[in-house]
Amino acid sequence: MAKYVFGVDIGGTTVKIGLFTAEGTMVDKWEITTRTDEGGKYILGDIAASIEDKLAEKQIDKSEVKGIGMGVPGPVKADGTVLRCVNLGWGIFNAADELSKIIGLPVKVGNDANMAALGEMWQGGGKGFSNIVMVTLGTGVGGGIVLDGKIVKGTHGAAGEIGHMSVVYDETATCNCGKKGCLEQVASATGIVKEAKKFLAADDTPSTLRNIDGFTAKDVFDEAKKGDDISLKTVNRLGEYLGIALGHIACVIDPDVFIIGGGVSKAGDFLIDTIEKYYVEKTYHQCRKTPIKLATLGNSAGIYGAAKLVISE
Ligand code: ZN
């Protein structure tokens, strides 16, 4: 009887690995370096070796392991084929089959943002719900949608690309994706700094941000909490656009809960309250009470979700 599962989250610099019981308790968690040289050809071998070491250390037999779930930073097809992971140097190949061949255990692969959403639904901010939308506010804006407990992947693997919803109609700058006006351009950590700089350049309004060299998104939130006008304007702007985006999403899929994660979410209830203020105005009346909650698993969400992927399928 399989008692354990592994959850793996491959990032551009580190691979996070977790050992879980089938009930969802984390037994151990560790990291190895992601070797991206030579087209990332060592990555899967390194993961297999690290998992073999852990099995030996914990005296767990492979017959007790249900399988390995793995999140990768890029689009993934249902059969485990990764389409292109630029950060890892990977081209197109079946990562699930490849790792399974090396280690002799079943392997499932998914996109990392989707894994984080699944993890938060299983053991995080969305625990107890089966329809959740997660938005990750980091360097970019990512997203993941879980409906009836299953990840929505979409025809092109692009479901949940919430960061690239067009919401800012008067945006003149171009997003990393090539469009103009994406949510990511105002609601990512980079976007927040850029927006604050625009407000600062517009006139001579006094602002404590002017005294902080190379200020970050965190500084903008900290100063907003102290009442700085420009910082408050910036936070309100991202709250408004997030409110619009979540309002649209609610009209389409009416989820149980929205989960907000990523580095920017460390701003806490102040961020949630600002989003909610606009969300309530922008969505359909029946969705106005849908809770918007903070993610709780931090950067472990991906390994929880990857483990869950093995358990539920
Ligand atoms: Zn975009």
Side-chain angles (χ1 to χ4, degrees), residues 3 10 51 78 87 118 130-131 136 142 144 152 157 162 207 214 229 231 267:
K3 289 193 285 196
I10 310 181
I51 287 176
N87 293 345
L118 194 59
S130 53
N131 300 300
T136 305
V152 179
I162 292 162
S207 169
D229 274 349
S231 304

Side-chain angles (χ1 to χ4, degrees), residues 13-35:
T13 50
T14 59
V15 179
K16 295 181 187 69
I17 308 176
L19 169 62
F20 297 83
T21 66
E23 289 76 39
T25 306
M26 188 192 279
V27 178
D28 202 354
K29 174 187 139 178
W30 67 102
E31 289 184 9
I32 60 173
T33 303
T34 311
R35 280 202 285 162

Side-chain angles (χ1 to χ4, degrees), residues 164 175 177 182:
H164 300 286
C175 177
C177 75
C182 293

Side-chain angles (χ1 to χ4, degrees), residues 171 173-174 184-186 188-199 215 234:
E171 179 63 75
T174 306
E184 178 166 299
Q185 290 182 276
V186 288
S188 62
T190 352
I192 291 165
V193 171
K194 198 195 68 197
E195 290 300 304
K197 283 182 176 163
K198 261 201 242 170
F199 284 127
F215 64 82
T234 311

